[in-house]
Structure formats: C-alpha cells, structure tokens
Amino acid sequence: MSVRVRIAPSPTGYLHVGTARAALYNYLFARHHNGVFILRSDDTDTERSTQEFSDDIVASMRWLGLEWDEGIIVGGPHETYRQSERLGRYQEVAAGLVEAGKAYYSFATPEQLETFRNEARREGMSPAYDGRYKVSPAEAEERLRTGESATVRFAVPRPGETVFEDVVRDEVRFDHVQVDDFVILRSNGTPTYHLASTVDDVDFEITHVIRGEDLLSSTPKHILLTEAMGAEPPTYAHLPLLMGPDGKKLSKRHGHTALAAYRDAGYLADAVVNYLALLGWNPGDDDTVVDRAAMIERFELDRVSKNPAIFDAVKLEWMNGVYIRGMNADAFIATVTPLVEEDLGRALTADERAVLAEMAPLVQERAKKLTEIAPQMRFLFAEISYDETSWQKVMAKPDAGRAIRSAREVLARLDDFSTNSVEHALRGMLETEGLNPRKGFQPLRVALSGSSVSPPLFESVAALGKDRTLARLDAAAVAIDAAS
RNA sequence: GCCCCCAUCGUCCAGCGGCCUAGGACUCCGCCCUUUCAAGGCGGCAACGGGGAUUCGAAUUCCCCUGGGGGCACCA
C-alpha cells in the first residue's frame, strides 16, 4: 500500500512554525516513500475560521515549496478537502455509530459535567466523563422528539484500554478511564475535530498520521473512532513540540510564530526548511546544511527525536546566511533587485542595475537576511545621511578631515576609476599622510556611504564614480568643519 | 488533581553495552586574515539530573526519585 499522509491546518490562525514543521515532515516522509502528500483544511470551527488565514496557509506552504499532491485548491479523488463542505458525511457517520450503539445522544448539561469533573478531581479520580448520565435509546428518542437539544457522544468501551505503537515513541497505552465519552457531534449538528479529522483520515485512506505531540493523548479517541467505523487505524507518529527560549510551548510572546513573518523578515525558504527539518530530526550524521533532495533521500521517522526542541532564532539566522552565500550570483541579483527598488521607491536604471550587479557579490557574503541588503546598497543609488554612531566614532576624530581632503585631492587627479586604480591612489594617500588604514579609510567610508559599516571601500568608490565620490567627500569636509 | 510523553554542552543534534579522554552545529571567547562589517581558517570554554539494579563493563538496559513538557472542552 502506498503512503498517504496529510497536514490539516485549521484556518483559525496564520500558519504556525510548528505546523509548518509538521507539514515539512509529512512532506519529506511522503516524498521519501513516493507517497501522496495531502493538504486538508480543518475548518469545522466556522466561528473562528477566516479566508485570510486560509490564504496565508496556502501562501506559506507554497513559499516553503511544500507542494501537495491532493487537497484544497489542487483537488484530487477525494474532493472536497474542506471539512466545512463535508458536514453531511460527518452527520452520516455519527448517525451510523448511534445506530450501531457505538455512540449515543447525550443530554448531560454543562453544569452536570462540570460538577462531575470537580468531584472526580477532588477525589483524585480521572476527570474524564464516563457516560454516567446516559439515558436509554427509548428515552433519548422521546426527548429528541420534544425538541430537546443533545450532543452525540462516542461510547468509549469501559473497562478497556487502547494500546498503539507510535513510530517515534514506541508503545503507548491509555486506560479508558482516562478517555471521556467525547462529543463527536455538537448540539448544533456540526462535528468536532475528533470526528471530522478521523472520518477524513479514514475516507482519504491516510496511512500515517504525523502530527504534534499535543495530540498524543487524543489518539485513543481517534483509534476507537476509526475502529468503530470498521477501518484499520493508521500508523501514528507524534512529533516533539517546538518551544520558546523559556521552554514553554512556542507562542506569540516568543516572537514570530507565523511562518510568513520569516519570509517578510528576509529569510530564504530553503534556509527555513533546512532549519526546521533539523529541529527534531537528523540525517544520520553530523551534517547541518542539507539540501531538499538530500532530506527527501535520507528522511526517516525513526530518526525523529523524542525531545521537545527550543526554537533558536540565532541559529536560523546563521543558517540563512549560509543559504544567502550559497545562492548563485544571478539568482541573488534577481531576488535583490526588487528589494532595492522597493527601498528606493523607484525602479533602477540600466546603469544602476549594472552597478548593483557589480556590487552584489560584495553584499551577498555579508548578509544574514535579505532585508539587510537594500539598506547596505542604498548609498549607491540615493543621497546619504550620516549615521550618528558612525559619525561620532569616525568623523569626530582628529585625522578625519585631513584624510578626506587628501583623498579628494588624489582622486580628483585620477581619471581611471577602476577598483585597482582607486586602491593604488588611496594607499598612496595613506602613505603621504602617514595614516594607517583605519584612520585613513574609515572617514572615507563614512563620507561615501554614511556609515562605518559598508561594502568594501575601493569597490564602492569605483561604483559611485568620480563625480559623486568627489561631491560626497566635499560635503563631508564641510560637515566636519561645521561640527568643529 | 488525574493521565501521557520526555531527560547528553546555554541551544539543536550524534551516541542505540566496550571504539567515549562523550562527537558535530549554533552561540560565546581567543588568535590569524583584513580598508569597516561580515565571511573564512585555527584553537578554546561547555553536558551524560540524582539514586539504586543488571553486567566483567552503562551516557547507552531496568526501577525509583527529581525536573521539564503535553493533555484532561459542544477548540483544533
């Protein structure tokens, strides 16, 4: 039987990094086994589900490159892949279970249940509802007829026990006193997550359920439901949860949890994928940078860690730098050009594009995030302003003015503004002025770029060209005089 | 409170009875390279939670404790 797996986000929020990782693992598992990867929308909570979240999920999945074979948007043999469109099917299953005596109409009031739980808790017993307020089928029918509202609950076999073999956790067992007679159909007729999700998994012939550990204790319910439907339960694999730096479940207060936020912050999809993949899985050796093909090739569920993993933003950033440096020159220029144009608020001219292409490799090896790049190249295409800290650190020093004036003089006499020629001229200036590179070059850097941190100096001068270089040196000299 | 899961450097992983003087990556700290910042090179700091048991031998197996996490809804 071929592998069929799914990721089933609920459009009640943006695609969370934890969900993204679960999606990635499902994807890698499917690709590794030449199986089918499905994207389903678990949108039974109509109150909280929105189109915006749904769009975000699709966009984020595509950005990561986790193409799905069946599911929302792309369709497939099991249309539809949206739970909100399958309500009839869930009701049908629920009715069948009631018919078979495996589920029942429940009239237990919230107050009764609350009281039961409190009491159980007080006595040190399991707070899982044991169905004690169940009424006879005849009575249920009668009360239903009089218009009384009811939920449908699954009748958990008691006493009993559910044992299953989890791929990452090995054998897990739950005594049924810990499993409540859970609601499968709300009093308004809509299915709960347990019902909808399980029915879909059965109908879509899901073979492996790979999901977060937070669902581990719900698994007996899903197995019981599956069996009650007369189907074979899938293989389960529960992934360790993602934590924030404080060791608590990753949430908004830890920073970005919406995957799209990382895209917007200048991260590369491949870097995020690589980082997420290694957060709880390892390829079997000490490799850290692993491309997608290698991940697919080497992915195994039994190499998934059991430990919760703390999301380390610093390491992600490092990895992003690795991927930026790994881009080929053309690809880098292609992704960076629109960013620079957006930053400037205008399109680049052909000449400017040539300058950008020239300078691109220099900023490429320095960037950790795409968002750092435009600000670093801005001085090439727009007027500058001096960074306050840089000014204090460099321009307020005694030799700054001298270096700038001397450089201005030397460069003014220079016709060949190639990098080599500029370097030769400026090093000559250092010598005649008796300045070391730090004292002699840093002021020039600030004069030209506005900051003490910039791409390499000689290349920058060459890229700016003679006119603008001289103008900026003049302006800096004036500014220094004015400041002293 | 009840149940489940987990436990190696600060963090992510390796280790699946002797190859461990516990390995790699990020971070941090030195040094080198160097026009700034990065990158890169070299080196360094840093961990098997505690107690029993099994064994000739335990980070690796078993038990207890402790600690951390998750779940216990007409939310998913």
Side-chain angles (χ1 to χ4, degrees):
Chain A
M1 187 168 59
S2 97
V3 162
R4 291 176 60 81
V5 296
R6 58 25 174 214
I7 185 72
S10 172
T12 53
Y14 298 106
L15 186 71
H16 187 279
V17 291
T19 311
R21 188 191 57 156
L24 173 62
Y25 283 27
N26 274 279
Y27 166 88
L28 292 174
F29 183 73
R31 291 290 172 268
H32 180 83
H33 292 284
N34 280 312
V36 175
F37 176 52
I38 299 167
L39 176 61
R40 186 171 83 204
S41 184
D42 276 16
D43 58 355
T44 53
D45 185 349
T46 51
E47 292 292 307
R48 298 192 297 141
S49 296
T50 72
Q51 186 62 42
E52 186 196 354
F53 291 142
S54 184
D55 291 344
D56 174 79
I57 288 164
V58 168
S60 296
M61 289 286 292
R62 289 196 165 143
W63 178 64
L64 288 176
L66 305 183
E67 296 298 335
W68 52 103
D69 309 300
E70 285 178 32
I72 57 171
I73 311 227
V74 305
H78 296 283
E79 296 268 22
T80 165
Y81 294 86
R82 234 177 265 287
Q83 294 187 336
S84 55
E85 294 166 4
R86 287 171 47 80
L87 262 30
R89 173 58 181 152
Y90 308 129
Q91 287 159 351
E92 170 188 301
V93 170
L97 291 175
V98 171
E99 188 76 23
K102 291 174 174 170
Y104 60 91
Y105 285 100
S106 169
F107 300 90
T109 65
E111 295 72 34
Q112 282 179 307
L113 295 168
E114 187 62 21
T115 305
F116 168 80
R117 288 186 202 112
N118 289 340
E119 221 157 279
R121 215 170 272 246
R122 197 171 327 117
E123 291 166 18
M125 308 292 278
S126 164
Y129 174 56
D130 60 1
R132 60 180 55 199
Y133 303 122
K134 184 179 352 182
V135 300
S136 70
E139 183 184 339
E141 203 173 319
E142 179 57 32
R143 292 171 70 169
L144 248 22
R145 192 162 40 231
T146 64
E148 201 170 330
S149 77
T151 58
V152 176
R153 287 180 183 274
F154 187 84
V156 174
R158 255 175 264 283
E161 184 183 46
T162 293
V163 183
F164 62 98
E165 195 69 27
D166 186 283
V167 186
V168 341
R169 273 149 229 287
D170 301 325
E171 187 181 280
V172 182
R173 54 177 64 225
F174 287 89
D175 190 307
H176 288 183
V177 300
Q178 303 300 336
V179 185
D180 62 308
D181 275 11
F182 55 103
V183 172
I184 58 176
L185 220 53
R186 303 188 183 96
S187 51
N188 67 3
T190 61
T192 58
Y193 164 76
H194 299 303
L195 209 224
S197 173
T198 304
V199 169
D200 283 0
D201 287 346
V202 169
D203 287 355
F204 299 173
E205 301 173 279
I206 300 302
T207 58
H208 300 257
V209 170
I210 304 168
R211 47 149 57 155
E213 198 203 310
D214 50 339
L215 265 344
L216 186 61
S217 39
S218 297
T219 305
K221 295 176 182 175
H222 305 157
I223 290 175
L224 255 15
L225 260 175
T226 304
E227 288 171 341
M229 288 176 69
E232 187 73 21
T235 299
Y236 289 93
H238 286 92
L239 309 174
L241 261 22
L242 255 33
M243 306 296 190
D246 59 355
K248 304 288 184 194
K249 197 173 172 181
L250 194 65
S251 67
K252 346 311 133 271
R253 69 196 153 83
H254 295 120
H256 298 309
T257 54
L259 192 87
Y262 289 89
R263 177 195 58 208
D264 298 343
Y267 289 87
L268 259 25
D270 285 343
V272 173
V273 163
N274 192 156
Y275 178 70
L276 251 23
L278 262 53
L279 209 50
W281 171 76
N282 81 81
D285 55 23
D286 286 334
D287 286 353
T288 303
V289 179
V290 187
D291 69 32
R292 193 172 302 236
M295 280 185 230
I296 289 170
E297 157 104 36
R298 298 154 83 171
F299 189 81
E300 300 287 356
L301 280 175
D302 59 15
R303 291 208 66 88
V304 170
S305 162
K306 297 171 165 55
N307 309 13
I310 292 175
F311 187 89
D312 183 357
V314 176
K315 189 163 183 177
L316 202 211
E317 194 168 289
W318 163 79
M319 185 162 282
N320 202 53
V322 170
Y323 274 84
I324 287 179
R325 272 173 263 132
M327 291 174 86
N328 73 50
D330 290 342
F332 181 75
I333 291 167
T335 70
V336 148
T337 303
L339 296 175
V340 170
E341 293 185 328
E342 192 186 345
D343 178 63
L344 294 172
R346 64 175 176 84
L348 290 176
T349 65
D351 285 350
E352 287 175 325
R353 281 171 175 268
V355 167
L356 183 143
E358 191 88 8
M359 296 293 285
L362 271 19
V363 300
Q364 180 174 8
E365 64 185 45
R366 290 170 164 69
K368 284 211 168 84
K369 294 188 280 191
L370 256 22
T371 42
E372 298 167 2
I373 292 164
Q376 275 183 32
M377 298 192 99
R378 190 149 54 207
F379 78 97
L380 295 165
F381 310 115
E383 293 307 310
I384 59 165
S385 59
Y386 301 112
D387 169 66
E388 183 57 32
T389 315
S390 299
W391 183 276
Q392 289 306 328
K393 197 163 64 181
V394 176
M395 303 302 240
K397 296 290 168 59
D399 297 317
R402 183 156 60 94
I404 287 170
R405 265 182 280 271
S406 180
R408 201 256 182 237
E409 206 172 302
V410 167
L411 292 174
R413 275 187 266 120
L414 198 65
D415 290 321
D416 175 11
F417 254 59
S418 67
T419 302
N420 282 339
S421 164
V422 167
E423 172 165 8
H424 184 260
L426 290 180
R427 287 201 187 282
M429 177 279 284
L430 242 40
E431 205 147 323
T432 49
E433 294 296 330
L435 293 171
N436 63 29
R438 181 177 292 273
K439 286 186 171 174
F441 288 163
Q442 279 301 85
L444 307 185
R445 185 184 302 284
V446 175
L448 299 178
S449 74
S451 169
S452 59
V453 176
S454 82
L457 184 62
F458 312 131
E459 285 84 349
S460 296
V461 171
L464 280 171
K466 188 167 183 174
D467 292 348
R468 284 198 293 171
T469 296
L470 297 185
R472 287 192 187 178
L473 291 175
D474 287 337
V478 170
I480 285 177
D481 288 343
S484 59

